[in-house]
Amino acid sequence: MPRAYEVGAPEARTDDGDLDHHSLVSGDSLRSNWDSPSVTDISPKRVVLLGKGDLAIRVGTWLMASPTHRLDWVVPVVPEPTWAGSLGAWAESVQVPLVQSGRWQDLPADVSPDLALSIFAHQIFPQRFIDRCGRILNLHNSALPRYRGMAPIN
């Protein structure tokens, strides 16, 4: 079963009201053979990037250059903040398919990424989205839950 990893995050309700949220706590390990391609598995990992800001754009740029990853979709936070780069505008400039609404629910039903990267996204993903993904990595710029919110490092 796919797992979503969120360092230090408390259990929370998803946008569907589910309480089935998985967390990674200090001391747990993320090691797996998923990151080590075998001789028979040479196709790039399909990736969906969700989030906002300059860090998400930098990660997207890295994914575009990676021979082991294929950035298939971008789901920006809508409305995008004015204080950071626009992930949506970046996706359009590099011709990556974009979910204009900013809702993961509007991804095509047949999209099942190997990896979903959530970078400063506001959504808590329900089990039905987690089940569509091979892995999910939720990146925050602070220790959760103590420093949560719009400006966690101020």
Side-chain angles (χ1 to χ4, degrees):
M1 170 181 261
R3 298 276 311 236
Y5 298 101
E6 191 169 342
V7 178
E11 186 175 274
R13 290 199 180 274
T14 66
D15 58 356
D16 288 351
D18 294 340
L19 282 174
D20 228 0
H21 189 69
H22 303 285
S23 297
L24 177 70
V25 295
S26 298
D28 285 349
S29 174
L30 284 175
R31 289 183 311 177
S32 73
N33 62 3
W34 182 78
D35 294 316
S36 305
S38 68
V39 174
T40 59
D41 183 19
I42 57 173
S43 60
K45 301 296 181 195
R46 299 160 303 164
V47 180
V48 171
L49 178 60
L50 306 101
K52 66 181 176 188
D54 298 320
L55 181 57
I57 293 168
R58 289 178 66 187
V59 169
T61 301
W62 182 88
L63 289 166
M64 293 289 291
S66 172
T68 58
H69 298 85
R70 185 182 77 218
L71 183 56
D72 286 346
W73 284 91
V74 167
V75 183
V77 168
V78 174
E80 291 192 88
T82 58
W83 47 264
S86 169
L87 181 60
W90 173 84
E92 289 177 337
S93 75
V94 295
Q95 299 178 342
V96 173
L98 175 67
V99 176
Q100 296 278 350
S101 68
R103 294 172 28 94
W104 67 265
Q105 296 92 331
D106 294 333
L107 282 165
D110 63 341
V111 172
S112 296
D114 298 307
L115 176 63
L117 289 172
S118 170
I119 302 177
F120 307 130
H122 296 139
Q123 302 178 52
I124 297 175
F125 305 112
Q127 190 64 47
R128 65 187 171 96
F129 180 71
I130 293 169
D131 290 343
R132 288 174 64 175
C133 305
R135 295 277 192 255
I136 297 177
L137 181 62
N138 192 8
L139 179 66
H140 291 272
N141 207 19
S142 68
L144 294 174
R146 174 175 265 175
Y147 299 106
R148 63 183 178 268
M150 292 301 291
I153 57 174
N154 288 343

